């Protein structure tokens, strides 16, 4: 959702500026471009954190703790941070009642977290009704290079 809104903003700004330039004014294009840039910044700074806080509040109110049965570290090739692909920890959990296996992905790390996992079992806080709302608790790991969004 966040990436989609940022991409949409990045696509709309040049289109609106090109339209304003074709209608006849550099000043109009600059004013519209500045307005749209401010709107994108407001959305990123105020509105998106509100949604994240709301999701975290919902998770805090109605959560259960699962323990990862298996953990794997992988390089996240879909995202880049400062031109580098970050590492993530995939935690696997199999629900004994339904037999379904779930994969929960941690926040990204700039450094390989494999040496820090040792014998640590990570906890996963999940919403009891919606397992897609989760948080992998990596606070036990003393990993440098954590990425905060």
């Amino acid at each position: 959702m966040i990436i989609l809104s940022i991409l949409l903003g990045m696509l709309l700004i040049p289109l609106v500026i090109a339209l304003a330039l074709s209608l006849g004014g550099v000043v109009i294009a600059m004013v519209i471009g500045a307005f749209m840039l401010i709107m994108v910044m407001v959305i990123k700074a105020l509105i998106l954190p509100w949604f994240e806080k709301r999701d975290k509040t919902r998770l805090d109110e109605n959560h259960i703790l699962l323990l990862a049965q298996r953990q794997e570290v992988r390089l996240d090739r879909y995202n880049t941070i400062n031109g580098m692909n970050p590492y993530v920890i995939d935690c696997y959990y199999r629900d004994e009642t339904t037999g379904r296996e779930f994969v929960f992905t941690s926040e990204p790390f700039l450094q390989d977290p494999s040496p820090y996992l040792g014998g640590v079992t990570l906890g996963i806080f999940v919403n009891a009704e919606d397992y897609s709302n989760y948080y992998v608790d990596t606070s036990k790991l003393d990993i440098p290079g954590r990425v905060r969004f």
Side-chain angles (χ1 to χ4, degrees):
M1 171 109 178
I2 295 170
I3 295 171
L4 181 65
S5 64
I6 292 171
L7 287 175
L8 185 63
M10 290 172 59
L11 290 173
L12 283 178
I13 290 173
L15 290 174
V16 170
I17 291 173
L19 178 65
L21 282 173
S22 69
L23 292 177
V26 173
V27 174
I28 294 171
M30 290 176 64
V31 168
I32 292 174
F35 174 74
M36 292 191 72
L37 183 63
I38 290 170
M39 291 306 297
V40 168
M41 289 171 43
V42 165
I43 289 170
K44 185 165 173 60
L46 299 176
I47 296 173
L48 294 179
W50 180 80
F51 280 111
E52 291 170 3
K53 184 178 178 185
R54 182 194 66 181
D55 288 344
K56 188 167 175 120
T57 303
R58 286 182 183 166
L59 187 58
D60 288 341
E61 291 172 354
N62 190 19
H63 76 275
I64 55 175
L65 175 65
L66 305 175
L67 295 178
Q69 297 167 340
R70 184 168 49 103
Q71 301 163 162
E72 292 180 2
V73 176
R74 69 175 166 87
L75 196 60
D76 185 4
R77 299 198 186 273
Y78 297 105
N79 296 309
T80 58
I81 300 171
N82 296 332
M84 298 170 41
N85 294 107
Y87 292 90
V88 292
I89 304 171
D90 287 335
C91 300
Y92 296 86
Y93 175 79
R94 179 177 297 280
D95 188 355
E96 299 300 328
T97 58
T98 63
R100 287 184 58 196
E101 185 173 58
F102 296 92
V103 180
F104 302 100
T105 304
S106 72
E107 76 266 10
F109 299 98
L110 292 177
Q111 209 174 44
D112 185 3
S114 299
Y116 302 95
L117 282 174
V120 177
T121 301
L122 296 178
I124 307 149
F125 293 97
V126 296
N127 186 315
E129 288 127 19
D130 180 14
Y131 276 25
S132 68
N133 186 8
Y134 68 90
Y135 172 73
V136 176
D137 183 19
T138 58
S139 61
K140 298 179 205 173
L141 306 176
D142 188 25
I143 303 174
R146 287 181 185 267
V147 178
R148 300 286 182 215
F149 292 107

